[in-house]
Amino acid sequence: MFDLFKIAIRNLLRYRRRTLLTVSLVSIGVVSVLVFVSASGSFKNMMIGQITDSFLGHIQIHKKGYVASIDSLPLTLNLGSNTLEKVEKAINEIPDIEAYSKRIKFGGMFSNFVETTNVRLNGVYPEDEARTVPLLLSRVREGERTIRTGEILVPELLAKGMKVKVGDTVVVIATNRDGSVNGKQFQVGGILESATGPGGRDGYIHIDDAAEILRMDTTQISEIAIRLKDFDKLHEVFDRLKDKLSNEVNKQGGPAFEVHMWEKLSPFYNIARMIDIMTFFVKLMLIAIVLISIMNVMVMAVYERIREIGTIAAIGTLPGKILAMFLIEGFSLGFFGAVVGNVLGVATISILSMAKLTFNFGRQKGLLLSPGINIQDILLISIMVITISVLASLQPAYKASKMNPIDALRHV
Amino acid sequence: MNLITAHDLSKTYLKGETKVEALKGLNFEIEPASFVSFVGPSGSGKTTLLNLIGCLDKPTSGILRVDDTDVSGLDTRMAAAFRGKKIGFIFQDFNLIPVLTVYENVGYPLVLVQNTPSSERKQRILALLDAVGMAEQKDKYPDQISGGQKQRVAVARALVTKPKLVLADEPTANLDHKTAYMVINIMKKMKSELGTTFIFSTHDQKIVGEAEIIYTLEDGELAGREV
Ligand SMILES: Nc1ncnc2c1ncn2[C@@H]1O[C@H](COP(=O)(O)OP(=O)(O)OP(=O)(O)O)[C@@H](O)[C@H]1O
Ligand SMILES: [Mg+2]
């Protein structure tokens, strides 16, 4: 016939305007959170993707101590041939790794025969590098999207300052680890758009050319960048890799390698963290909105119905049922708020995503914001809203259940 | 066997420092299937007494047995359960639940107090609505019916759980004479049909005449018993 839910719903409909207002407030909160979570999440993922896919990779391995002195690009801290073998063996044993790229990094002089300036260069295996940082070659603005021996990809600011174009001949001069100086002529193969962050303005040459300038062989590697099949497994793969490499010790008995996630290598990790913290506070605000609005309504609902509570208590309704009656009312408010909010939120996100909003990140312009929301987020926010609604009703509902029927019946 | 036994029943309210002796050592017995009225001037203790019998309040001293239970020993929860099982209530202001229809109001105690199987519910509710002459209005809400009709619905609600005892504190105070008589007579009819004991309090001398046993309260003491 009818039950507690029916009574709760009818009581909510009895104060239609107030119920509508509360449900709207809760849904507006839910919509705001969903839109914020999806937009900021999309921005964050895009940002991380730009950084890791343009040059950084997801994980990097160096000889112990390299990252601390990365600004001077030391050639004395390379991975030698037998250590390299061990690292590659470890990498190959982890199926979650999509690709890895060995790099020789060094600093040198860049000359167009008129002027000379500093340059930071990466010597890479072109295919490996392209698979590890797939956005790298898309940054080539002029020229062909390849790295051939004898050719150099020049970062755009350097190209502009030195007035070099694709096809020009330039000279790269570098000091090798023994202190002797060597130079090599290159043809400019392409102009490379800058990417945001350290390493985003490096030039690229073939690893064989790098070895030639530095007078060493290609078994001397400064850095190994790793790309995962699934970015969400970052920590898992990182732990496995670290574990596998931890057996290797250097002559001093310390660890021979250092393994870093992208987070430790880019200051943009802090922005990503910032976004997480902001998301947390936005959620906290939603909790506050739900808590205050539902509690307010439920306190009023109990106050208005004191005589009714007295009546049902007098005729023998047990306190637990009275408690449940009001909790269900609060639950229903939260439930409808969550449902309406989710529907409107998903609609808003779809509209935003269809609107193809773009944003600029660093020097990257016109990145497409593709806000999406996954079912976990929707469920989590719904459960949160409904739980808070029930908790907010707890105090008024408890008060109702503990009312003395005589006092309640006398209430005017 | 008496349905209600009161022995030296007293109730004292504490109002700050001052004590108000609302009931002063009452002794009486009420048999099953009685139609009893308590009368007396305002402040004589009628409501206080009905609250004690209805297990809504506890005596300060003395013995009160209702249906063989010493009701002064019941805690809040047990008292609620006892009321739900044994006692029906009719209020001066009708106190129907506004969001429920007439039919649902009568059914309320069966669903939310007693958990009666639904097959049995319908038949009981309809029979009682018929008996109080409210069957035609069963789908109306309380604000769509008159005061007398509301009180007839309240009588049906009080009886739907088949209680041994129905308590009514000034059930006709908000009704005109004609309607008051009608409601009292419906109560009387139900008493004869179901054997339920009705106890009501009233100011109204004419209505009192309808009772089979009349107790007069004066200043918290029993001043007379008429049959
Ligand atoms: N909660 C209370 N606290 C203090 N005193 C009370 C309380 N309830 C009733 N009294 C007092 O107890 C006495 C009896 O009150 P009661 O309400 O039982 O009288 P009544 O016969 O029902 O009166 P009425 O005809 O006006 O309803 C009165 O003096 C009243 O002031
Ligand atoms: Mg009274």
Side-chain angles (χ1 to χ4, degrees):
Chain A
M1 190 169 70
F2 61 95
D3 54 10
L4 289 171
F5 263 102
K6 201 156 154 186
I7 295 180
I9 301 293
R10 292 219 192 139
N11 273 314
L12 290 176
L13 293 176
R14 180 168 160 197
Y15 302 99
R16 210 171 291 253
R17 187 183 303 191
R18 190 173 73 195
T19 301
L20 207 66
L21 207 69
T22 311
V23 169
S24 315
L25 204 61
V26 172
S27 1
I28 289 170
V30 170
V31 170
S32 316
V33 170
L34 284 179
V35 171
F36 183 84
V37 164
S38 80
S40 68
S42 147
F43 176 75
K44 186 180 119 180
N45 290 339
M46 178 93 64
M47 194 185 76
I48 294 172
Q50 279 293 323
I51 291 166
T52 58
D53 295 358
S54 296
F55 56 94
L56 205 60
H58 295 150
I59 294 176
Q60 290 189 356
I61 301 173
H62 304 93
K63 191 186 182 80
K64 184 79 193 163
Y66 188 87
V67 172
S69 49
I70 198 159
D71 277 337
S72 62
L73 300 173
L75 292 166
T76 48
L77 288 171
N78 282 349
L79 300 165
S81 58
N82 41 357
T83 45
L84 193 62
E85 217 171 273
K86 282 165 191 151
V87 176
E88 292 197 73
K89 184 167 169 284
I91 290 174
N92 287 324
E93 279 169 8
I94 300 176
D96 288 322
I97 291 176
E98 162 105 25
Y100 68 96
S101 178
K102 295 181 279 187
R103 296 169 176 166
I104 296 177
K105 295 173 90 80
F106 65 101
M109 306 294 281
F110 178 93
S111 169
N112 61 0
F113 301 102
V114 182
E115 289 174 275
T116 303
T117 185
N118 296 320
V119 67
R120 294 162 60 96
L121 288 169
N122 291 284
V124 296
Y125 292 103
E127 283 92 43
D128 290 348
E129 185 72 11
R131 290 209 300 136
T132 307
V133 285
L135 288 182
L136 172 68
L137 291 178
S138 70
R139 284 164 53 205
V140 177
R141 284 208 324 196
E142 292 163 39
E144 273 186 74
R145 296 189 161 179
T146 51
I147 304 168
R148 294 197 193 91
T149 45
E151 284 186 1
I152 179 169
L153 294 182
V154 184
E156 62 178 337
L157 291 180
L158 187 67
K160 214 172 173 184
M162 299 292 282
K163 296 189 185 67
V164 295
K165 298 186 299 296
V166 174
D168 287 358
T169 304
V170 296
V171 174
V172 171
I173 303 148
T175 314
N176 71 9
R177 58 185 294 179
D178 307 323
S180 57
V181 177
N182 194 19
K184 184 173 161 53
Q185 274 199 11
F186 286 91
Q187 216 172 30
V188 176
I191 308 295
L192 203 55
E193 212 166 62
S194 299
T196 311
R201 293 178 187 177
D202 289 3
Y204 284 83
I205 56 176
H206 196 283
I207 197 164
D208 293 339
D209 293 335
E212 188 188 326
I213 297 176
L214 298 170
R215 291 211 177 97
M216 60 191 206
D217 57 57
T218 51
T219 58
Q220 300 276 314
I221 294 299
S222 340
E223 174 173 288
I224 297 177
I226 292 173
R227 178 179 183 76
L228 308 183
K229 286 183 177 143
D230 180 1
F231 182 70
D232 291 337
K233 289 189 177 164
L234 181 64
H235 288 259
E236 190 187 312
V237 174
F238 173 76
D239 288 340
R240 280 185 68 186
L241 202 55
K242 220 174 161 173
D243 188 50
K244 277 180 184 291
L245 296 177
S246 62
N247 308 331
E248 299 303 321
V249 291
N250 58 20
K251 289 176 198 107
Q252 286 79 42
F257 307 107
E258 54 188 21
V259 186
H260 289 103
M261 291 185 270
W262 76 273
E263 311 171 349
K264 291 286 174 332
L265 300 165
S266 172
F268 285 91
Y269 174 61
N270 294 323
I271 294 182
R273 290 274 308 168
M274 205 64 192
I275 290 174
D276 289 342
I277 291 170
M278 267 157 66
T279 309
F280 172 77
F281 277 105
V282 167
K283 283 181 184 164
L284 212 62
M285 257 157 64
L286 175 68
I287 291 177
I289 290 174
V290 174
L291 196 72
I292 292 168
S293 53
I294 303 269
M295 199 183 261
N296 185 39
V297 168
M298 292 313 295
V299 166
M300 290 219 305
V302 168
Y303 184 78
E304 285 161 349
R305 301 215 287 272
I306 290 179
R307 278 170 60 89
E308 269 169 63
I309 296 164
T311 307
I312 60 173
I315 65 180
T317 311
L318 293 179
K321 283 242 168 83
I322 298 176
L323 183 87
M325 210 176 273
F326 284 96
L327 288 187
I328 288 172
E329 221 171 297
F331 170 90
S332 306
L333 278 175
F335 179 80
F336 290 121
V339 168
V340 174
N342 280 325
V343 170
L344 294 181
V346 169
T348 311
I349 291 167
S350 315
I351 290 168
L352 283 182
S353 139
M354 278 190 293
K356 301 212 184 305
L357 297 180
T358 56
F359 66 95
N360 300 334
F361 173 61
R363 292 185 49 85
Q364 254 96 12
K365 295 204 168 48
L367 293 173
L368 191 64
L369 187 72
S370 54
I373 193 92
N374 52 23
I375 193 79
Q376 284 107 301
D377 277 326
I378 290 181
L379 280 180
L380 197 82
I381 289 169
S382 306
I383 289 170
M384 193 175 86
V385 165
I386 293 170
T387 311
I388 298 299
S389 304
V390 174
L391 288 178
S393 324
L394 206 54
Q395 192 270 340
Y398 182 77
K399 204 177 138 203
S401 75
K402 287 289 172 217
M403 264 177 205
N404 174 0
I406 297 177
D407 297 337
L409 281 167
R410 243 202 324 247
H411 187 89
V412 275
Chain B
M1 251 295 277
N2 295 316
L3 180 66
I4 299 167
T5 311
H7 182 72
D8 208 11
L9 186 66
S10 298
K11 177 72 185 178
T12 306
Y13 291 110
L14 274 177
K15 242 184 192 169
E17 291 293 285
T18 55
K19 283 184 184 177
V20 181
E21 288 186 77
L23 296 176
K24 303 169 185 167
L26 302 192
N27 291 290
F28 62 90
E29 281 154 4
I30 293 171
E31 287 174 9
S34 318
F35 202 66
V36 183
S37 176
F38 283 91
V39 289
S42 185
S44 57
K46 303 181 295 288
T47 299
T48 305
L49 179 59
L50 259 58
N51 284 345
L52 292 184
I53 298 173
C55 305
L56 293 166
D57 207 351
K58 283 184 182 183
T60 313
S61 67
I63 293 169
L64 178 62
R65 300 186 72 83
V66 178
D67 194 33
D68 240 11
T69 307
D70 177 4
V71 294
S72 51
L74 300 176
D75 67 25
T76 319
R77 216 191 116 85
M78 281 156 70
F82 186 82
R83 292 196 299 270
K85 223 163 128 185
K86 306 257 168 110
I87 306 172
F89 287 89
I90 298 169
F91 305 92
Q92 179 179 334
D93 306 312
F94 325 126
N95 291 15
L96 298 182
I97 296 162
V99 295
L100 301 181
T101 62
V102 163
Y103 180 88
E104 289 164 343
N105 261 290
V106 176
Y108 178 94
L110 295 182
V111 180
L112 284 158
V113 180
Q114 287 207 340
N115 248 326
T116 315
S118 58
S119 52
E120 205 185 321
R121 266 187 243 149
K122 191 173 176 189
Q123 175 226 323
R124 266 211 243 171
I125 299 165
L126 289 177
L128 274 167
L129 281 175
D130 215 29
V132 300
M134 287 297 294
E136 303 232 307
Q137 339 271 353
K138 71 181 175 63
D139 294 323
K140 289 195 173 160
Y141 283 89
D143 58 8
Q144 296 169 319
I145 57 177
S146 72
Q149 291 176 318
K150 282 184 202 169
Q151 203 59 310
R152 276 144 66 187
V153 174
V155 171
R157 177 177 67 182
L159 289 166
V160 78
T161 56
K162 297 183 180 164
K164 296 233 161 123
L165 172 66
V166 171
L167 297 172
D169 191 11
E170 317 238 12
T172 58
N174 286 344
L175 300 174
D176 62 65
H177 258 289
K178 223 179 100 210
T179 323
Y181 265 106
M182 189 179 173
V183 168
I184 292 291
N185 280 317
I186 285 173
M187 285 164 57
K188 217 167 173 177
K189 183 183 96 180
M190 300 314 294
K191 178 244 149 189
S192 322
E193 280 177 19
L194 305 170
T196 314
T197 298
F198 279 81
I199 301 176
F200 65 98
S201 70
T202 185
H203 278 113
D204 190 333
Q205 285 305 322
K206 288 184 208 126
I207 293 292
V208 176
E210 297 297 308
E212 290 162 4
I213 303 164
I214 304 164
Y215 284 101
T216 309
L217 275 172
E218 250 166 48
D219 206 12
E221 292 178 77
L222 268 187
R225 180 178 190 268
E226 284 173 59
V227 184

